[in-house]
Amino acid sequence: MDRKVSTRSAARAETERAILSAAEAVFAEHGYRGATTGMIAERAGIPKANLHYYFATKEALYRQVVENIFMIWLDAANSFDDCEDPEEALTHYITTKMDISRQHPMGSKVWANEILHRAPVIQDYLETTLREWTATRIAIIERWVSEGRMDPVDPRTLLYMIWSTTQHYADFIHQIETLNDGKPLSDDQFAVARDNVVRIILSGVGIRARAASSVKAGAAR
Amino acid sequence: MDRKVSTRSAARAETERAILSAAEAVFAEHGYRGATTGMIAERAGIPKANLHYYFATKEALYRQVVENIFMIWLDAANSFDDCEDPEEALTHYITTKMDISRQHPMGSKVWANEILHRAPVIQDYLETTLREWTATRIAIIERWVSEGRMDPVDPRTLLYMIWSTTQHYADFIHQIETLNDGKPLSDDQFAVARDNVVRIILSGVGIRARAASSVKAGAAR
DNA sequence: ATGAAACCTGACCAAACGGTCAAATTGAGC
DNA sequence: GCTCAATTTGACCGTTTGGTCAGGTTTCAT
């Protein structure tokens, strides 16, 4: 049973992937209500009825998309713990979040839409996983402060600043591109933004950065 | 003609105001597609058909709402120029933007929705007014840098950081409240956030703040 | 080969939506 | 009090949308 990966289940997995990918793009661009199952099906290259064979309702499909996005976010979030040193940890975390905004803008947009509309689908995640994650990281930041390794800042304010600033490069990319003469940010421009964000925040909380771009040459190449 | 403010025109103005107010709330909470003219009419306390007497189409009503929001934003933006000193100017600007997020969260949400969906209605504003405003303020920041009054930072990155961080307290207020045990931010909590945002950003760009809360006791009372 | 289960799809349906309209009501000017 | 334009409203309409369904096709174990 197990040894044979049938053509069937492979095809099924591929169709599901195509639907979820199309759904993420359409939900990101049009929001939950603005997206139609017809648009998603067309983008996935299947008839609408077939989409409903794989996902019973629009809401079930949406929920799956949002859950996938949350898992990606959670992976990135755990990069916060990769280092004990506040400079390295924050640099790594901010860099990772910036790169996610660059490479996964649609996921960030879906998330933003969901929060804007009072999180009708993912409220339970906010109240469990996100709340726990935040509490432990607040404790870490408070410890750094009490150890004198950074200025005394409100940990929540710092986290929100990191989230908002990094996600801005996904959620508001249209505004950024319009202010960039309508052109997408080049890799160099994005690298400048990323390095500046890291530098301003680190300096803002009283951490003197040693050298630029010491951590992770990054996705700019 | 002029001396008599008829009951009629007063009632008309009042009805228009009620519709626009209801529309702002509903568009903020549900997005353009998620909002229905029926919901807006109900919230404004009038039948749907009457709403269409005042605003011919849903899109015309939406456009009016967005234009009003843009005007408020523009007023706040000009507070950037109130001072020549970078510390005062940035403090004043950030404080003003934070207070707007606190007092006008729905407007910010409508704006965020619009940008998320690639600004189908206000693209012309982005390409004219916003582009010009940004260009002149970039020049001011560059001058401050060249005069050695602040660290050399990319002006765009700084502006985007200010916008995203301050607007986060409107657009993502639901997430913030969830992480605040489901309770709204108290005036004190908000004041802490506002002061921390100012302090981190100013320190982040190499401006040493003199004393806390020297500028504008603020809307916290 | 064959039967059964999984998969696919064109046609269809009920609900919701933006918008219209004709008829009723109101109120300012005479 | 009368007139007429402005305003209000319930009923209605065409379109779009999420979802269903019956029937067809493919795959696979035997």
Side-chain angles (χ1 to χ4, degrees), chain A residues 22-86:
Chain A
E24 181 177 316
V26 174
F27 281 132
E29 185 126 2
H30 302 278
Y32 179 75
R33 290 289 294 266
T36 71
T37 54
M39 292 165 67
I40 296 171
E42 188 185 17
R43 185 160 182 142
I46 58 173
K48 190 181 65 165
N50 197 14
L51 183 148
H52 278 93
Y53 176 74
Y54 282 89
F55 296 90
T57 67
K58 181 185 179 182
E59 187 179 330
L61 173 57
Y62 179 72
R63 179 169 243 115
Q64 186 65 56
V65 169
V66 172
E67 284 178 4
N68 289 353
I69 289 163
F70 187 75
M71 291 312 155
I72 291 173
W73 182 90
L74 206 57
D75 276 350
N78 288 333
S79 81
F80 193 97
D81 308 315
D82 283 355
C83 321
E84 165 52 25
D85 178 57

Side-chain angles (χ1 to χ4, degrees), chain A residues 123 131 154 156 174 178 196, chain B residues 123 131 154 174 178 196:
Chain A
Q123 181 63 21
R131 200 177 268 173
D154 176 51
R156 281 173 217 271
H174 177 72
T178 298
N196 270 266
Chain B
Q123 182 62 20
R131 199 177 270 173
D154 175 52
H174 177 73
T178 298
N196 270 267

Side-chain angles (χ1 to χ4, degrees), chain B residues 89-106:
Chain B
L90 288 179
T91 300
H92 191 183
Y93 181 50
I94 295 169
T95 304
T96 302
K97 283 226 72 190
M98 286 294 283
D99 288 342
I100 289 178
S101 284
R102 178 78 162 171
Q103 281 153 15
H104 265 277
M106 291 180 302

Side-chain angles (χ1 to χ4, degrees), chain A residues 89-140:
Chain A
L90 288 180
T91 301
H92 191 184
Y93 181 50
I94 295 170
T95 304
T96 303
K97 285 226 69 189
M98 284 294 283
D99 288 342
I100 289 178
S101 283
R102 177 79 163 171
Q103 280 151 15
H104 259 275
M106 291 181 302
S108 185
K109 284 184 176 187
V110 172
W111 183 266
N113 251 306
E114 178 68 7
I115 304 293
L116 266 174
H117 299 7
R118 318 211 119 235
V121 166
I122 51 151
Q123 181 63 21
D124 50 334
Y125 282 109
L126 296 186
E127 290 177 358
T128 57
T129 316
L130 181 60
R131 200 177 268 173
E132 290 159 20
W133 186 93
T134 308
T136 62
R137 275 61 185 188
I138 285 175
I140 293 175

Side-chain angles (χ1 to χ4, degrees), chain B residues 5-65:
Chain B
V5 177
S6 70
T7 313
R8 205 121 198 198
S9 70
R12 180 178 188 94
E14 170 56 23
T15 304
E16 268 181 12
R17 197 206 52 76
I19 293 174
L20 286 168
S21 171
E24 182 178 314
V26 175
F27 282 132
E29 186 127 1
H30 302 277
Y32 180 74
R33 289 290 294 266
T36 72
T37 54
M39 292 165 67
I40 297 170
E42 187 184 18
R43 185 159 183 143
I46 59 172
K48 190 181 65 165
N50 198 13
L51 183 148
H52 278 93
Y53 176 73
Y54 282 89
F55 296 90
T57 67
K58 182 184 180 183
E59 186 179 332
L61 173 56
Y62 178 71
R63 181 169 242 115
Q64 186 66 58
V65 168

